[in-house]
Coordinates of all heavy atoms in Angstrom, one line a residue:
I1358 N -76.9 31.7 -182.7 CA -78.3 31.7 -182.4 C -79.1 31.4 -183.7 O -78.9 32.2 -184.6 CB -78.7 33.0 -181.8 CG1 -78.0 33.2 -180.4 CG2 -80.2 33.0 -181.5 CD1 -78.2 34.6 -179.9
A1359 N -79.9 30.4 -183.7 CA -80.6 30.1 -184.9 C -81.8 31.0 -185.1 O -82.4 31.5 -184.1 CB -81.2 28.6 -184.9
F1360 N -82.0 31.4 -186.3 CA -83.1 32.4 -186.6 C -83.7 32.0 -188.0 O -83.0 32.2 -189.0 CB -82.5 33.8 -186.6 CG -83.6 34.9 -186.8 CD1 -84.4 35.3 -185.8 CD2 -83.7 35.5 -188.0 CE1 -85.3 36.2 -186.0 CE2 -84.7 36.5 -188.2 CZ -85.5 36.8 -187.2
G1361 N -84.9 31.5 -188.0 CA -85.6 31.2 -189.3 C -85.0 30.0 -189.9 O -84.5 29.1 -189.2
H1362 N -85.0 29.9 -191.2 CA -84.6 28.8 -192.0 C -83.2 29.1 -192.5 O -83.0 29.9 -193.4 CB -85.5 28.4 -193.1 CG -86.9 28.0 -192.6 ND1 -87.2 26.8 -192.0 CD2 -88.0 28.7 -192.5 CE1 -88.4 26.8 -191.6 NE2 -89.0 27.9 -191.9
A1363 N -82.2 28.3 -192.1 CA -80.8 28.4 -192.6 C -80.2 29.8 -192.5 O -79.4 30.2 -193.2 CB -80.8 28.0 -194.1
M1364 N -80.7 30.6 -191.5 CA -80.1 31.9 -191.2 C -79.7 31.9 -189.7 O -80.3 31.2 -188.9 CB -81.1 33.0 -191.4 CG -81.5 33.3 -192.8 SD -82.7 34.6 -192.9 CE -81.8 36.0 -192.3
S1365 N -78.6 32.5 -189.4 CA -78.2 32.6 -188.0 C -77.6 34.0 -187.8 O -77.1 34.6 -188.7 CB -77.2 31.5 -187.7 OG -76.0 31.6 -188.4
V1366 N -77.6 34.4 -186.5 CA -77.0 35.7 -186.2 C -76.1 35.4 -185.0 O -76.3 34.5 -184.2 CB -78.0 36.8 -185.8 CG1 -78.8 37.1 -187.0 CG2 -78.9 36.3 -184.7
T1367 N -75.1 36.2 -184.8 CA -74.2 36.1 -183.6 C -74.8 36.8 -182.5 O -75.7 37.6 -182.7 CB -72.8 36.6 -183.9 OG1 -72.9 38.1 -184.1 CG2 -72.1 36.0 -185.1
A1368 N -74.3 36.6 -181.3 CA -74.8 37.3 -180.1 C -74.6 38.8 -180.3 O -75.4 39.6 -179.9 CB -74.2 36.8 -178.9
V1369 N -73.4 39.2 -180.9 CA -73.1 40.6 -181.0 C -74.1 41.2 -182.0 O -74.6 42.4 -181.8 CB -71.7 40.8 -181.5 CG1 -71.4 42.2 -181.9 CG2 -70.7 40.3 -180.5
Q1370 N -74.5 40.5 -183.1 CA -75.4 41.1 -184.1 C -76.8 41.2 -183.4 O -77.5 42.2 -183.7 CB -75.5 40.1 -185.3 CG -74.3 40.2 -186.1 CD -74.3 39.1 -187.2 OE1 -74.8 37.9 -186.9 NE2 -73.8 39.4 -188.4
L1371 N -77.2 40.3 -182.6 CA -78.5 40.3 -181.9 C -78.5 41.5 -180.9 O -79.5 42.3 -180.9 CB -78.8 39.0 -181.2 CG -80.2 38.9 -180.6 CD1 -81.3 39.1 -181.6 CD2 -80.3 37.6 -179.9
A1372 N -77.4 41.7 -180.2 CA -77.3 42.8 -179.2 C -77.4 44.1 -180.0 O -78.0 45.1 -179.5 CB -76.1 42.6 -178.4
T1373 N -76.7 44.2 -181.1 CA -76.7 45.4 -181.9 C -78.1 45.8 -182.4 O -78.5 46.9 -182.3 CB -75.8 45.3 -183.1 OG1 -74.4 45.0 -182.7 CG2 -75.8 46.5 -184.0
A1374 N -78.8 44.8 -182.9 CA -80.2 45.0 -183.3 C -81.1 45.4 -182.2 O -81.9 46.4 -182.3 CB -80.8 43.7 -183.9
M1375 N -81.0 44.8 -181.0 CA -81.8 45.2 -179.9 C -81.4 46.6 -179.4 O -82.2 47.4 -178.9 CB -81.7 44.2 -178.7 CG -82.3 42.8 -179.0 SD -84.1 42.9 -179.3 CE -84.1 42.5 -181.1
G1376 N -80.1 46.9 -179.5 CA -79.6 48.2 -179.1 C -80.2 49.3 -180.0 O -80.5 50.4 -179.5
V1377 N -80.4 49.1 -181.3 CA -81.1 50.1 -182.1 C -82.5 50.4 -181.6 O -82.9 51.6 -181.5 CB -81.2 49.5 -183.6 CG1 -82.1 50.4 -184.4 CG2 -79.8 49.5 -184.2
L1378 N -83.2 49.4 -181.2 CA -84.6 49.6 -180.6 C -84.5 50.4 -179.3 O -85.2 51.4 -179.1 CB -85.3 48.3 -180.4 CG -85.6 47.5 -181.6 CD1 -86.2 46.2 -181.2 CD2 -86.4 48.2 -182.6
A1379 N -83.5 50.0 -178.5 CA -83.4 50.7 -177.2 C -82.9 52.1 -177.3 O -83.2 53.0 -176.5 CB -82.4 49.9 -176.3
N1380 N -82.2 52.4 -178.4 CA -81.6 53.8 -178.6 C -82.5 54.6 -179.6 O -82.0 55.5 -180.2 CB -80.2 53.7 -179.1 CG -79.2 53.2 -178.1 OD1 -79.2 53.7 -177.0 ND2 -78.5 52.2 -178.4
G1381 N -83.8 54.3 -179.7 CA -84.7 55.1 -180.5 C -84.4 55.0 -182.0 O -84.6 56.0 -182.7
G1382 N -83.9 53.9 -182.4 CA -83.7 53.7 -183.9 C -82.3 54.1 -184.4 O -82.0 54.0 -185.5
R1383 N -81.5 54.5 -183.4 CA -80.1 54.9 -183.8 C -79.1 53.8 -183.6 O -79.1 53.2 -182.5 CB -79.7 56.2 -183.0 CG -80.6 57.4 -183.3 CD -80.3 58.5 -182.3 NE -80.7 58.0 -181.0 CZ -80.6 58.7 -179.9 NH1 -80.3 59.9 -179.9 NH2 -81.0 58.2 -178.7
L1384 N -78.3 53.6 -184.6 CA -77.2 52.6 -184.5 C -76.0 53.3 -183.9 O -75.5 54.3 -184.5 CB -76.9 52.0 -185.9 CG -75.7 51.1 -186.0 CD1 -76.0 49.8 -185.2 CD2 -75.4 50.7 -187.4
M1385 N -75.5 52.8 -182.8 CA -74.4 53.5 -182.1 C -73.1 52.8 -182.4 O -73.1 51.6 -182.7 CB -74.7 53.4 -180.6 CG -76.0 53.9 -180.1 SD -76.3 55.6 -180.5 CE -75.2 56.4 -179.3
R1386 N -72.0 53.5 -182.4 CA -70.7 53.0 -182.6 C -70.4 52.1 -181.3 O -70.6 52.6 -180.2 CB -69.7 54.1 -182.7 CG -68.2 53.5 -183.0 CD -67.2 54.7 -183.1 NE -67.1 55.4 -181.9 CZ -66.3 55.1 -180.9 NH1 -65.6 54.0 -181.0 NH2 -66.2 55.9 -179.8
P1387 N -70.0 50.9 -181.5 CA -69.7 50.0 -180.4 C -68.5 50.6 -179.6 O -67.5 51.1 -180.1 CB -69.2 48.7 -181.0 CG -69.5 48.8 -182.4 CD -69.7 50.2 -182.8
V1388 N -68.6 50.5 -178.3 CA -67.6 50.9 -177.3 C -67.2 49.8 -176.4 O -68.1 49.3 -175.7 CB -68.1 52.2 -176.5 CG1 -67.0 52.6 -175.5 CG2 -68.4 53.3 -177.4
L1389 N -66.0 49.4 -176.4 CA -65.6 48.3 -175.5 C -65.1 48.8 -174.2 O -65.2 48.2 -173.2 CB -64.5 47.5 -176.2 CG -64.9 46.7 -177.4 CD1 -63.7 46.0 -178.0 CD2 -66.0 45.8 -177.2
M1390 N -64.5 50.0 -174.2 CA -64.0 50.6 -173.0 C -64.5 52.0 -172.9 O -64.3 52.8 -173.8 CB -62.4 50.7 -172.9 CG -61.8 49.3 -172.7 SD -60.0 49.5 -172.5 CE -59.5 49.9 -174.2
R1391 N -65.1 52.4 -171.8 CA -65.7 53.7 -171.6 C -64.6 54.8 -171.5 O -64.6 55.8 -172.1 CB -66.7 53.7 -170.4 CG -67.3 55.1 -170.1 CD -68.2 55.5 -171.2 NE -68.7 56.8 -171.1 CZ -69.9 57.2 -170.6 NH1 -70.8 56.2 -170.3 NH2 -70.2 58.4 -170.5
R1392 N -63.6 54.4 -170.6 CA -62.5 55.4 -170.4 C -61.2 54.6 -170.0 O -61.3 53.5 -169.5 CB -62.9 56.5 -169.4 CG -63.0 56.0 -168.0 CD -63.3 57.1 -167.0 NE -64.5 57.9 -167.4 CZ -65.7 57.7 -166.9 NH1 -65.9 56.8 -166.0 NH2 -66.7 58.5 -167.3
V1393 N -60.1 55.3 -170.3 CA -58.8 54.8 -169.9 C -58.2 55.8 -168.9 O -58.2 57.0 -169.2 CB -57.9 54.6 -171.1 CG1 -56.5 54.1 -170.7 CG2 -58.5 53.6 -172.1
T1394 N -57.7 55.3 -167.8 CA -57.1 56.2 -166.8 C -55.6 55.8 -166.6 O -55.3 54.6 -166.8 CB -57.8 56.2 -165.5 OG1 -57.8 54.8 -165.0 CG2 -59.3 56.7 -165.7
N1395 N -54.8 56.7 -166.1 CA -53.5 56.4 -165.8 C -53.4 56.0 -164.3 O -54.5 55.9 -163.6 CB -52.5 57.6 -166.0 CG -52.8 58.8 -165.3 OD1 -53.5 58.8 -164.2 ND2 -52.4 60.0 -165.7
S1396 N -52.2 55.7 -163.8 CA -52.1 55.2 -162.4 C -52.6 56.2 -161.3 O -52.9 55.8 -160.2 CB -50.6 54.8 -162.1 OG -49.8 56.0 -162.3
R1397 N -52.7 57.5 -161.7 CA -53.2 58.5 -160.7 C -54.7 58.7 -160.8 O -55.3 59.5 -160.1 CB -52.5 59.9 -161.0 CG -51.0 59.8 -160.7 CD -50.4 61.2 -161.0 NE -50.7 61.5 -162.4 CZ -50.0 62.2 -163.2 NH1 -48.8 62.7 -162.7 NH2 -50.3 62.4 -164.4
G1398 N -55.3 58.0 -161.8 CA -56.8 58.1 -161.9 C -57.2 59.2 -162.9 O -58.4 59.5 -163.1
D1399 N -56.2 59.9 -163.6 CA -56.5 60.9 -164.6 C -57.0 60.2 -165.8 O -56.5 59.2 -166.3 CB -55.3 61.7 -164.9 CG -54.7 62.4 -163.7 OD1 -55.5 62.8 -162.8 OD2 -53.5 62.6 -163.6
V1400 N -58.1 60.8 -166.4 CA -58.6 60.2 -167.7 C -57.7 60.5 -168.8 O -57.4 61.7 -169.1 CB -60.0 60.8 -168.0 CG1 -60.5 60.2 -169.3 CG2 -61.0 60.4 -166.8
V1401 N -57.2 59.5 -169.5 CA -56.3 59.6 -170.6 C -57.1 59.6 -171.9 O -56.7 60.3 -172.8 CB -55.2 58.4 -170.6 CG1 -54.3 58.5 -171.8 CG2 -54.4 58.5 -169.3
Q1402 N -58.1 58.8 -172.0 CA -58.9 58.7 -173.1 C -60.3 58.3 -172.7 O -60.5 57.6 -171.8 CB -58.4 57.5 -174.1 CG -59.2 57.4 -175.3 CD -58.7 56.2 -176.2 OE1 -57.6 55.7 -175.9 NE2 -59.5 55.9 -177.2
E1403 N -61.3 59.0 -173.4 CA -62.7 58.7 -173.0 C -63.5 58.4 -174.3 O -63.3 59.2 -175.3 CB -63.3 59.9 -172.3 CG -64.7 59.6 -171.8 CD -65.1 60.5 -170.7 OE1 -64.6 61.6 -170.6 OE2 -66.0 60.1 -169.9
N1404 N -64.2 57.4 -174.4 CA -65.0 57.0 -175.5 C -66.5 57.3 -175.2 O -67.1 56.5 -174.6 CB -64.8 55.5 -175.9 CG -63.4 55.2 -176.3 OD1 -62.8 55.9 -177.1 ND2 -62.8 54.2 -175.7
L1405 N -67.0 58.4 -175.7 CA -68.4 58.7 -175.5 C -69.2 58.1 -176.6 O -68.8 57.8 -177.7 CB -68.5 60.3 -175.6 CG -67.7 61.0 -174.5 CD1 -67.9 62.5 -174.7 CD2 -68.2 60.6 -173.1
P1406 N -70.5 57.8 -176.3 CA -71.4 57.2 -177.3 C -71.5 58.1 -178.5 O -71.6 59.3 -178.4 CB -72.8 57.2 -176.6 CG -72.4 57.3 -175.1 CD -71.2 58.1 -175.0
Q1407 N -71.4 57.5 -179.7 CA -71.5 58.2 -181.0 C -72.6 57.5 -181.9 O -72.5 56.3 -182.0 CB -70.2 58.2 -181.7 CG -69.1 59.0 -181.0 CD -67.8 59.0 -181.8 OE1 -67.7 58.2 -182.7 NE2 -66.9 59.9 -181.4
V1408 N -73.5 58.3 -182.4 CA -74.5 57.7 -183.4 C -73.8 57.5 -184.7 O -73.2 58.4 -185.3 CB -75.7 58.7 -183.5 CG1 -76.7 58.1 -184.5 CG2 -76.3 58.9 -182.2
R1409 N -73.9 56.3 -185.2 CA -73.4 56.0 -186.6 C -74.4 56.4 -187.6 O -74.0 57.1 -188.6 CB -73.1 54.5 -186.8 CG -71.8 54.2 -186.0 CD -71.3 52.8 -186.0 NE -71.5 52.0 -187.2 CZ -71.2 50.7 -187.3 NH1 -70.9 50.1 -186.3 NH2 -71.4 50.1 -188.5
Q1410 N -75.7 56.0 -187.4 CA -76.7 56.5 -188.3 C -78.1 56.1 -187.7 O -78.2 55.2 -186.9 CB -76.6 55.9 -189.7 CG -76.8 54.4 -189.8 CD -76.5 53.8 -191.1 OE1 -75.5 54.1 -191.7 NE2 -77.4 53.0 -191.6
E1411 N -79.1 56.8 -188.2 CA -80.5 56.4 -187.8 C -80.9 55.3 -188.8 O -81.0 55.6 -190.0 CB -81.4 57.6 -187.8 CG -82.8 57.2 -187.3 CD -83.7 58.4 -187.1 OE1 -83.2 59.5 -186.7 OE2 -84.9 58.2 -187.5
V1412 N -81.2 54.1 -188.3 CA -81.6 53.1 -189.2 C -83.1 52.7 -189.2 O -83.6 52.1 -190.1 CB -80.8 51.8 -188.9 CG1 -79.3 52.0 -189.3 CG2 -81.0 51.3 -187.5
V1413 N -83.8 53.2 -188.1 CA -85.2 53.0 -188.0 C -85.8 54.3 -187.4 O -85.2 54.9 -186.5 CB -85.5 51.8 -187.0 CG1 -87.0 51.6 -186.8 CG2 -84.9 50.5 -187.5
P1414 N -87.0 54.8 -188.0 CA -87.6 55.9 -187.4 C -87.8 55.7 -185.9 O -88.2 54.6 -185.4 CB -88.9 56.1 -188.1 CG -88.6 55.4 -189.4 CD -87.7 54.3 -189.1
R1415 N -87.7 56.8 -185.1 CA -87.9 56.7 -183.6 C -89.2 56.1 -183.3 O -89.3 55.3 -182.4 CB -87.7 58.1 -183.0 CG -87.9 58.2 -181.5 CD -87.7 59.6 -181.0 NE -86.4 60.1 -181.1 CZ -85.4 59.9 -180.2 NH1 -85.7 59.4 -179.0 NH2 -84.2 60.4 -180.4
R1416 N -90.2 56.5 -183.9 CA -91.6 56.0 -183.6 C -91.7 54.5 -183.8 O -92.2 53.8 -183.0 CB -92.6 56.7 -184.4 CG -94.0 56.3 -184.1 CD -95.0 57.0 -184.9 NE -96.3 56.4 -184.7 CZ -97.5 57.0 -184.9 NH1 -97.5 58.3 -185.3 NH2 -98.6 56.4 -184.7
T1417 N -91.1 54.0 -184.9 CA -91.1 52.6 -185.2 C -90.3 51.8 -184.2 O -90.7 50.7 -183.7 CB -90.5 52.3 -186.6 OG1 -91.3 53.1 -187.6 CG2 -90.5 50.9 -187.0
A1418 N -89.1 52.3 -183.8 CA -88.3 51.7 -182.8 C -89.1 51.6 -181.5 O -89.1 50.5 -180.8 CB -87.0 52.5 -182.5
R1419 N -89.8 52.6 -181.1 CA -90.6 52.6 -179.8 C -91.7 51.6 -179.9 O -92.0 50.8 -179.0 CB -91.2 54.0 -179.5 CG -92.2 54.1 -178.4 CD -91.8 53.6 -177.1 NE -90.5 54.0 -176.6 CZ -89.8 53.3 -175.8 NH1 -90.2 52.2 -175.3 NH2 -88.6 53.7 -175.4
L1420 N -92.4 51.5 -181.1 CA -93.5 50.6 -181.3 C -93.0 49.2 -181.2 O -93.6 48.3 -180.5 CB -94.2 50.8 -182.7 CG -95.3 49.9 -183.0 CD1 -96.5 50.2 -182.1 CD2 -95.7 50.2 -184.5
V1421 N -91.9 48.8 -181.9 CA -91.4 47.5 -181.8 C -90.9 47.1 -180.4 O -91.2 46.0 -179.9 CB -90.3 47.3 -182.8 CG1 -89.6 45.9 -182.7 CG2 -90.8 47.4 -184.3
A1422 N -90.3 48.1 -179.7 CA -89.8 47.8 -178.4 C -91.0 47.6 -177.4 O -91.0 46.7 -176.6 CB -89.0 49.0 -177.9
D1423 N -92.1 48.3 -177.6 CA -93.3 48.1 -176.8 C -93.9 46.8 -177.1 O -94.4 46.1 -176.2 CB -94.3 49.2 -177.0 CG -93.9 50.6 -176.4 OD1 -93.0 50.6 -175.6 OD2 -94.5 51.6 -176.8
M1424 N -93.9 46.4 -178.4 CA -94.5 45.1 -178.7 C -93.7 43.9 -178.1 O -94.2 43.0 -177.6 CB -94.5 44.9 -180.2 CG -95.5 45.8 -180.9 SD -95.3 46.1 -182.7 CE -95.7 44.5 -183.3
L1425 N -92.3 44.1 -178.1 CA -91.5 43.0 -177.6 C -91.7 43.0 -176.0 O -91.7 41.9 -175.4 CB -90.0 43.3 -177.9 CG -89.6 43.0 -179.3 CD1 -88.2 43.6 -179.6 CD2 -89.7 41.6 -179.7
T1426 N -91.8 44.1 -175.4 CA -92.1 44.2 -174.0 C -93.4 43.5 -173.7 O -93.5 42.7 -172.7 CB -92.0 45.6 -173.5 OG1 -90.8 46.2 -173.8 CG2 -92.3 45.7 -172.0
G1427 N -94.4 43.8 -174.5 CA -95.7 43.2 -174.3 C -95.7 41.7 -174.4 O -96.3 41.0 -173.6
C1428 N -94.9 41.2 -175.4 CA -94.8 39.7 -175.6 C -94.2 39.1 -174.3 O -94.6 38.1 -173.9 CB -94.0 39.4 -176.8 SG -94.7 39.8 -178.3
G1429 N -93.2 39.8 -173.8 CA -92.5 39.2 -172.6 C -93.4 39.2 -171.4 O -93.5 38.3 -170.6
M1430 N -94.2 40.3 -171.3 CA -95.2 40.4 -170.1 C -96.3 39.3 -170.3 O -96.7 38.7 -169.3 CB -95.8 41.8 -170.1 CG -94.8 42.9 -169.8 SD -93.7 42.5 -168.4 CE -94.9 42.8 -167.0
C1431 N -96.8 39.1 -171.5 CA -97.8 38.0 -171.7 C -97.2 36.6 -171.3 O -97.8 35.8 -170.6 CB -98.2 38.0 -173.1 SG -99.2 39.4 -173.6
S1432 N -95.9 36.4 -171.7 CA -95.3 35.1 -171.4 C -95.2 35.0 -169.8 O -95.4 33.9 -169.3 CB -93.9 35.1 -172.0 OG -93.2 33.9 -171.6
L1433 N -94.8 36.0 -169.1 CA -94.7 36.0 -167.7 C -96.0 35.7 -167.0 O -96.1 34.9 -166.1 CB -94.1 37.3 -167.1 CG -92.6 37.5 -167.3 CD1 -92.2 38.9 -166.9 CD2 -91.8 36.4 -166.6
R1434 N -97.1 36.4 -167.5 CA -98.4 36.1 -167.0 C -98.9 34.7 -167.2 O -99.4 34.1 -166.3 CB -99.4 37.1 -167.6 CG -99.4 38.5 -167.0 CD -100.6 39.3 -167.4 NE -100.6 39.6 -168.8 CZ -100.1 40.7 -169.4 NH1 -99.6 41.6 -168.6 NH2 -100.1 40.8 -170.7
N1435 N -98.7 34.2 -168.4 CA -99.0 32.8 -168.7 C -98.3 31.8 -167.8 O -98.8 30.8 -167.4 CB -98.8 32.5 -170.2 CG -99.9 33.2 -171.0 OD1 -100.9 33.6 -170.6 ND2 -99.5 33.4 -172.3
R1436 N -97.0 32.1 -167.6 CA -96.2 31.2 -166.8 C -96.7 31.1 -165.3 O -96.6 30.1 -164.7 CB -94.7 31.6 -166.9 CG -93.8 30.6 -166.3 CD -92.3 31.1 -166.5 NE -92.0 31.0 -167.9 CZ -90.9 31.6 -168.4 NH1 -90.1 32.3 -167.6 NH2 -90.6 31.5 -169.6
R1437 N -97.1 32.3 -164.8 CA -97.6 32.3 -163.4 C -98.9 31.6 -163.2 O -99.2 31.1 -162.2 CB -97.8 33.8 -163.0 CG -96.5 34.5 -162.8 CD -96.7 35.9 -162.3 NE -95.5 36.6 -162.3 CZ -95.3 37.9 -162.6 NH1 -96.3 38.6 -163.0 NH2 -94.1 38.4 -162.5
K1438 N -99.7 31.4 -164.3 CA -101.0 30.7 -164.2 C -100.8 29.2 -164.0 O -101.7 28.6 -163.5 CB -101.8 31.0 -165.4 CG -102.4 32.4 -165.5 CD -103.2 32.6 -166.8 CE -103.7 34.0 -166.9 NZ -104.5 34.3 -168.1
H1439 N -99.7 28.7 -164.5 CA -99.5 27.2 -164.5 C -98.8 26.8 -163.3 O -98.0 27.2 -162.6 CB -98.8 26.8 -165.8 CG -99.5 27.1 -167.0 ND1 -100.7 26.5 -167.3 CD2 -99.2 28.0 -168.0 CE1 -101.1 27.0 -168.5 NE2 -100.2 27.9 -168.9

């Protein structure tokens, strides 16, 4: 995904950044499998969400998330007018 001049990010990096905003500024440890069960359905391993670190203050994360939501809503309203 192109971003700016001569900079690019992968889809995983973009999802991680958006996840920080969605999680109140906290960077979470990625989890590929929530749980592993055996043939009887017993949980053998469970991967619960874990915070790696707080990278953005909660208030800032909420403000940016609200701004992004507002931009999306403006775009939808403008699209409906045409």
